Amino acid sequence: FERDEGELSTWLGLALARQGRLKEADALLLPVVKLQRELAARNKSDVWLPLELSLALYAQAIAEPEHAAELLREAAAQAGKVPPQIAALPDSRRLRARIAAAQAGHP
């Protein structure tokens, strides 16, 4: 349940950040990223977790432009941890493309 709620909060945070409501977005995203990092630290076999963390980090990078470079590096690293069958999915490819575009200065 927490992960589902976290994913919804991530998408809402991303929408808020894109509207320029950075403080609201950041407040919403910080606990999600914290939870995802904690889960990732204990992860043994969940193939989706790195992608969920990657999305949350990408959203946080949009909400925190001053920390965007480091957050995007971490997001890209997490996205790179998914197995090939997950990496080939359209959502996974889109997320990696968004991260790359943001790293190139085109969020």
Side-chain angles (χ1 to χ4, degrees):
F1 178 73
E2 273 185 306
R3 283 175 66 181
D4 291 337
E5 196 173 273
E7 186 175 359
L8 294 172
S9 294
T10 297
W11 286 109
L12 179 57
L14 185 56
L16 290 168
R18 294 234 183 256
Q19 293 173 7
R21 297 163 63 182
L22 302 182
K23 287 185 181 184
E24 281 179 81
D26 195 41
L28 190 61
L29 292 165
L30 283 172
V32 175
V33 170
K34 181 180 184 286
L35 170 68
Q36 289 291 339
R37 282 180 172 149
E38 289 170 358
L39 293 172
R42 299 187 315 260
N43 189 23
K44 300 271 189 268
S45 61
D46 188 327
V47 297
W48 292 101
L49 193 59
L51 203 58
E52 292 172 15
L53 176 54
S54 182
L55 177 61
L57 290 163
Y58 168 73
Q60 189 177 21
I62 304 301
E64 292 184 21
E66 66 277 10
H67 299 115
E70 64 196 58
L71 290 164
L72 291 169
R73 271 193 302 276
E74 187 180 354
Q78 288 297 321
K81 291 181 179 181
V82 298
Q85 64 270 31
I86 304 292
L89 295 173
D91 286 348
S92 182
R93 290 194 324 261
R94 258 190 305 275
L95 176 57
R96 288 193 319 275
R98 286 179 178 166
I99 292 167
Q103 286 178 311
H106 308 289

